[in-house]
Amino acid sequence: MILNDYLLANTASPALATTISSLAEAAIHIADLAAQNGLPAHMSGQMSLGAVAGSVNEDGDDQKQLDILADRLIQAALQDAGVGYYFSEEEAEPLCFDEAGELAVASDPLDGSSNIDTNASIGTIFSIFPADTITDNLPPLGREQLAAGFFIYGPQTVLLLSFGKEVAAFALTPDKAFVKMTWDVVIPRQASEFAINASNAAYWHPKIAEFIDDAIYGAGKETSNMRWIGSLVADAYRIFRRGGIFLYPADSRPAYAQGRLRLVYEANPIAFLIEAAGGVASNGEAPILDMAVTSLHQRTPLLFGSADQLAPLLPSTHSPS
Ligand code: AFP
């Protein structure tokens, strides 16, 4: 089944189907650009896409050439689709394309951009919600998303998409069609792989430190394995494929009091997918999808993946259904 047929069969909203289809077209261009990174300019027309563009985003992150190009491609796609509002990690303020547009999109146009020049998998994360749920220029609770997904640009370009009930995976074929994969996207409740940036160990709060110590030295040491790619979409994709957990917790550094990842552009769409696949996604106290959005670029601690494996780090009230 190709993506557009899946969209027709799984959403009653033509606007939602058109928006996702337009994002897919933009993703094909972004994948092509990433694949040309570092080629002589006369071949690709682009300088090194991992090069710092000389600007910073609202979070103070250096913007790479591909960050900016991806943001522009996403903007053009959403305008073509008639989307009303666009919230981008790369834009200080929301953009209004059409006050009458029924949908709004939040996106991290190029997640993992510090990996562009290392040829590690990178991606585009998106969240779609009704434009009339925007309050004080802010998106609604993550639980009110109509759809969410991400494209991962790696050995394969794959779209993981959910409308809330299941997660569907689509691989990009050589003739540039997104075709549904024969993969039942379900996260096992128990697994033994964990993903965390261990270079931050000196700053972890005791609960995290004890949990990781147990995985390395304690009862879990025989089976545990660790992976950290440093690209959220790549670490998340592995968890969708074989389970495990991802931890980017708050730590004792002032700049990381709320972790590193952004609620609107990263945590909410990822959490929407994770819950639809039977996993859990938490800030350590409560479900990500129930977190109030208080500022556009707010950060949140982000723990997600296999429910039973993550349970020791979550309040019992947050035990997955
Ligand atoms: P970049 O987009 O700056 O590469 O950041 C990637 C990211 O937002 C997310 O994709 C990773 O999981 C996380 O940051 C990696 O953070 P550390 O570099 O602190 O490990």
Side-chain angles (χ1 to χ4, degrees), residues 61 64 110-115 197 200 228 230-233 235 246 248 256 260-262 266:
D61 298 334
K64 314 297 189 303
L110 209 289
D111 171 66
S113 52
S114 62
N115 288 315
N197 182 338
N200 298 332
W228 186 254
S231 177
L232 174 59
V233 293
D235 284 311
F246 173 101
Y248 213 117
Y256 287 75
R260 171 189 168 112
L261 300 174
R262 290 80 167 184
E266 294 166 316

Side-chain angles (χ1 to χ4, degrees), residues 61-311:
D61 298 334
D62 283 334
Q63 289 183 307
K64 314 297 189 303
Q65 288 292 346
L66 192 53
D67 279 321
I68 295 170
L69 289 171
D71 189 43
R72 288 181 190 153
L73 284 164
I74 298 284
Q75 286 188 40
L78 296 181
Q79 287 174 291
D80 288 349
V83 166
Y85 296 85
Y86 176 49
F87 297 76
S88 168
E89 184 183 307
E90 303 305 330
E91 306 286 344
E93 297 299 329
L95 303 179
C96 176
F97 297 149
D98 177 355
E99 287 181 356
E102 69 177 274
L103 297 179
V105 173
S107 178
D108 179 359
L110 209 289
D111 171 66
S113 52
S114 62
N115 288 315
I116 294 168
D117 283 338
T118 66
N119 201 26
S121 295
I122 52 182
T124 297
I125 307 171
F126 63 90
S127 163
I128 307 174
F129 44 90
D132 63 13
T133 61
I134 296 170
T135 310
D136 299 331
N137 243 7
L138 293 173
L141 286 181
R143 206 137 326 258
E144 295 190 45
Q145 292 172 94
L146 297 172
F150 65 78
F151 298 91
I152 181 168
Y153 313 117
Q156 276 189 309
T157 290
V158 175
L159 163 62
L160 289 191
L161 171 68
S162 180
F163 293 106
K165 294 282 181 282
E166 63 173 17
V167 176
F170 301 85
L172 187 64
T173 60
D175 57 2
K176 305 295 184 190
F178 277 103
V179 175
K180 196 168 186 299
M181 298 167 80
T182 58
W183 167 21
D184 186 16
V185 185
V186 175
I187 295 174
R189 293 184 68 93
Q190 185 57 47
S192 56
E193 211 155 44
F194 65 94
I196 193 167
N197 182 338
S199 71
N200 298 332
Y203 310 110
W204 292 336
H205 295 318
K207 194 172 184 183
I208 298 291
E210 287 156 19
F211 180 85
I212 299 297
D213 271 0
D214 180 66
I216 297 172
Y217 303 107
K221 67 174 174 297
E222 298 308 323
T223 56
S224 290
N225 188 36
M226 183 190 141
R227 287 281 184 275
W228 186 254
I229 301 172
S231 177
L232 174 59
V233 293
D235 284 311
Y237 189 85
R238 185 190 59 254
I239 290 169
F240 281 106
R241 281 261 52 155
R242 63 189 192 213
I245 56 175
F246 173 101
L247 311 171
Y248 213 117
D251 67 38
S252 59
R253 294 170 291 176
Y256 287 75
Q258 292 306 316
R260 171 189 168 112
L261 300 174
R262 290 80 167 184
L263 175 62
V264 167
Y265 313 110
E266 294 166 316
N268 268 340
I270 294 294
F272 190 80
L273 290 166
I274 290 286
E275 288 201 2
V280 291
S282 174
N283 62 12
E285 301 301 326
I288 290 289
L289 294 180
D290 296 332
M291 282 183 70
V293 180
T294 55
S295 72
L296 202 43
H297 300 282
Q298 81 188 71
R299 297 182 183 213
T300 176
L302 180 58
L303 318 174
F304 64 81
S306 293
D308 294 348
Q309 187 185 353
L310 198 56

